[in-house]
Amino acid sequence: MRPRRILASEAASYAGDRVRLKGWVSRVRVLGGIVFLELRDRSGSVQVVARKGSPCFNTAKKLGRDYVVAVEGEARLEERAPGRVEIVAAHIEVINEAEKPLPLDYTRSGNPLNLRLDWRFLDLRNPRSQAALKALAEAAHAVRQYFRSQGFLEIFTPKIIGQASEGGADVFPLVYFGREAFLAQSPQLYKQLMMATGVERVFEIGVAFRAEEHRGPRHLCEFRSIDYELSFVEDHVEVAKYAVEAVRRAAEAVVRGVEGYNEVFGEPPRIPGSPPILSVDEACRLIGRPGCKMSAEEEELLGKAVAKEYGSDLVVVTEYPWSDRPFYTMKHPEDPSKTRSFDIILRGLEIASGSQREHRYEVLVQQLREKGLDPSGFKFYLDHFKYGMPPHGGAGIGLERLVKQILGLRNIREAVLAPRDPERLAP
Ligand code: ATP
Ligand code: MG
């Protein structure tokens, strides 16, 4: 019978047994009559030794880093070995070789980001790079659990659409059987239309496309958006509470689920039970720039000021000017130059935008016109507002932005498997 196949991290619990492991050689040292190998698999790594006289000694000597191997031997407790266990190899099979040198030395820190992204799937052999993927998975899972627990139905809206949902120039057009269509910038119109169905609460974690010319550290042309929408809201502050809670759950899950979070990424973000909620005007005064518009630079200043004043890394900013928000946003009842809207700023960067929506048909048509949009292009959406649309609101949270801020990464491209930006279409 063939010995049991185990993972590197399980070696100690098989001490005394003959076992098999498969993985990559991550280090080779030849010291006189002994070859020390480090064997890495998905669980971690373990030391393998091959002694002169053993039939696999010559094979072991010729191994190089990143070779794919199968090792058979006895697991043995050994004080001097990392993890206090080693495999005394009796047989080593080379499954596949690796050319030298690798185009990216993924074991180093400080590789240029562009080189890392060119060789993304070698870069992801580095545990720190991999941690970002784990963080994405943890955050998405926690958010999904949270919305489900609050009675939100998960939906899957189309990503090829006939009308740009957010207006503006940053849409990717495509030819759809001879007609013009677009890649969805957000599920906005569809999640709002779901409010007409009586389901009342929906969410989606889906892809969004924006032809953003930005080449900076915050924008991608393809990102994942966590969207939710709910009926019978009183105002935008009520809507914002769900986004704050989703962000809190995501941050907790990432800190819990990413191994060695604190050693690698430092202090987790501080999100108090009731984080500060400031109007744009109040926020601008706090940073000493009365009348400001909350540019990216001002968001950064606000992040610092709020951390100092409130001991919070998260702040909800409300009541953005009507001129800065999309047509479907409800205007402020007391001051129509403002809106019932909010952004969530985490560690000085916008990660979410939301609002109460305008649910009154005539007002909505008027607002489209004010934004220079043609209501006839929105007929499929608008018509539903005539047949019993409840008051509602919602928000969109950028998944990669969120993970970038939770991990404290410098560039959003590190928080996505394969970034799409104006220059990059591969891998
Ligand atoms: P920004 O002002 O930062 O460009 P926005 O206000 O245009 O963002 P929204 O339409 O409010 O973006 O989208 C909701 C959320 O989606 C944002 O808060 C952000 O987290 C995320 N997001 C928007 N655009 C991008 C993008 N190009 N790349 C990554 N995430 C994005
Ligand atoms: Mg926004």
Side-chain angles (χ1 to χ4, degrees):
M1 207 176 72
R2 284 216 289 177
R4 178 195 281 265
R5 184 171 156 215
I6 66 163
L7 291 172
S9 64
E10 299 169 332
S13 48
Y14 287 92
D17 291 359
R18 185 146 172 143
V19 292
R20 281 189 312 134
L21 295 98
K22 290 184 185 184
W24 289 260
V25 175
S26 46
R27 220 172 117 157
V28 189
R29 279 178 306 150
V30 186
L31 292 180
I34 310 184
V35 182
F36 291 94
L37 305 173
E38 189 181 73
L39 181 90
R40 179 178 52 79
D41 64 18
R42 71 182 145 91
S43 74
S45 56
V46 65
Q47 176 166 297
V48 175
V49 296
R51 289 209 166 73
K52 205 168 191 159
S54 143
C56 62
F57 181 72
N58 282 333
T59 315
K61 260 198 334 198
K62 283 186 223 133
L63 292 175
R65 232 178 67 191
D66 294 282
Y67 275 41
V68 184
V69 294
V71 173
E72 198 176 306
E74 188 190 320
R76 202 181 59 177
L77 298 179
E78 166 56 63
E79 278 303 311
R80 287 163 297 176
R84 297 214 167 99
V85 63
E86 64 185 16
I87 309 293
V88 184
H91 184 75
I92 296 175
E93 179 198 345
V94 177
I95 298 173
N96 213 342
E97 298 182 356
E99 277 182 32
K100 251 197 297 198
L102 264 64
L104 173 79
D105 181 359
Y106 63 85
T107 60
R108 275 185 44 198
S109 59
N111 285 313
L113 184 57
N114 258 327
L115 181 67
R116 286 179 53 197
L117 295 175
D118 286 344
W119 292 97
R120 184 58 161 157
F121 298 87
L122 290 182
D123 175 53
L124 286 167
R125 288 186 186 174
N126 180 305
R128 187 179 187 275
S129 303
Q130 238 176 63
L133 293 194
K134 179 86 162 105
L136 283 166
E138 292 292 344
H141 182 66
V143 164
R144 179 172 278 121
Q145 257 182 340
Y146 168 64
F147 281 114
R148 288 179 59 114
S149 77
Q150 300 299 306
F152 286 75
L153 175 72
E154 182 165 15
I155 58 168
F156 306 91
T157 63
K159 302 304 165 200
I160 300 175
I161 57 176
Q163 190 61 39
S165 40
E166 307 287 324
D170 60 356
V171 289
F172 285 110
L174 63 101
V175 179
Y176 191 74
F177 302 109
R179 272 186 295 165
E180 185 179 49
F182 305 97
L183 293 177
Q185 298 158 297
S186 80
Q188 183 63 32
L189 306 185
Y190 291 89
K191 64 179 180 167
Q192 282 194 258
L193 286 177
M194 282 305 293
M195 300 300 99
T197 67
V199 166
E200 289 189 29
R201 295 178 166 212
V202 297
F203 79 100
E204 174 167 21
I205 303 176
V207 65
F209 302 94
R210 301 214 182 156
E212 312 253 28
E213 286 286 347
H214 309 285
R215 281 149 171 86
R218 304 179 288 125
H219 288 96
L220 297 167
C221 293
E222 179 193 287
F223 67 98
R224 265 40 51 180
S225 179
I226 302 160
D227 276 273
Y228 67 91
E229 199 74 24
L230 73 162
S231 292
F232 301 114
V233 295
E234 300 287 335
D235 61 14
H236 54 296
V237 176
E238 184 187 345
V239 177
K241 287 189 177 140
Y242 292 90
V244 170
E245 197 50 35
V247 169
R248 182 201 316 287
R249 305 278 178 112
E252 283 169 2
V254 168
V255 172
R256 226 184 303 119
V258 170
E259 216 178 296
Y261 175 96
N262 286 284
E263 293 90 85
V264 185
F265 301 105
E267 287 296 307
R270 293 165 302 168
I271 307 177
S274 308
I277 302 176
L278 305 173
S279 69
V280 173
D281 291 347
E282 289 166 336
C284 291
R285 280 200 294 275
L286 182 68
I287 60 169
R289 295 207 181 166
C292 80
K293 290 193 76 175
M294 276 294 130
S295 63
E297 184 211 347
E298 285 151 356
E299 284 174 1
E300 230 178 291
L301 292 174
L302 180 64
K304 292 200 179 102
V306 166
K308 199 157 149 241
E309 287 283 315
Y310 299 87
S312 174
D313 291 318
L314 184 151
V315 54
V316 182
V317 181
T318 62
E319 294 170 34
Y320 284 83
W322 163 244
S323 56
D324 291 354
R325 302 301 274 209
F327 75 89
Y328 48 77
T329 314
M330 184 177 273
K331 289 185 184 176
H332 201 287
E334 274 111 60
D335 179 354
S337 75
K338 298 198 170 91
T339 54
R340 284 196 155 176
S341 61
F342 67 89
D343 272 13
I344 293 185
I345 316 289
L346 183 65
R347 289 180 157 165
L349 177 66
E350 172 192 330
I351 54 156
S353 284
S355 64
Q356 180 170 359
R357 323 302 191 185
E358 182 48 67
H359 61 281
R360 295 162 295 184
Y361 177 80
E362 281 82 15
V363 184
L364 191 54
V365 173
Q366 174 57 28
Q367 290 193 177
L368 269 165
R369 290 209 177 93
E370 280 178 41
K371 291 286 178 189
L373 297 165
D374 179 3
S376 66
F378 290 82
K379 189 168 161 42
F380 80 100
Y381 163 81
L382 279 176
D383 278 352
H384 288 85
F385 285 73
K386 295 182 194 164
Y387 307 110
M389 181 64 96
H392 61 278
I397 309 167
L399 178 61
E400 293 90 351
R401 281 262 181 106
L402 175 61
V403 164
K404 171 187 181 294
Q405 292 310 91
I406 295 174
L407 296 182
L409 302 174
R410 247 178 288 156
N411 196 306
I412 194 167
R413 288 164 184 73
E414 292 183 77
V416 61
L417 176 62
R420 292 288 170 259
D421 65 28
E423 271 86 39
R424 188 173 285 280
L425 255 179

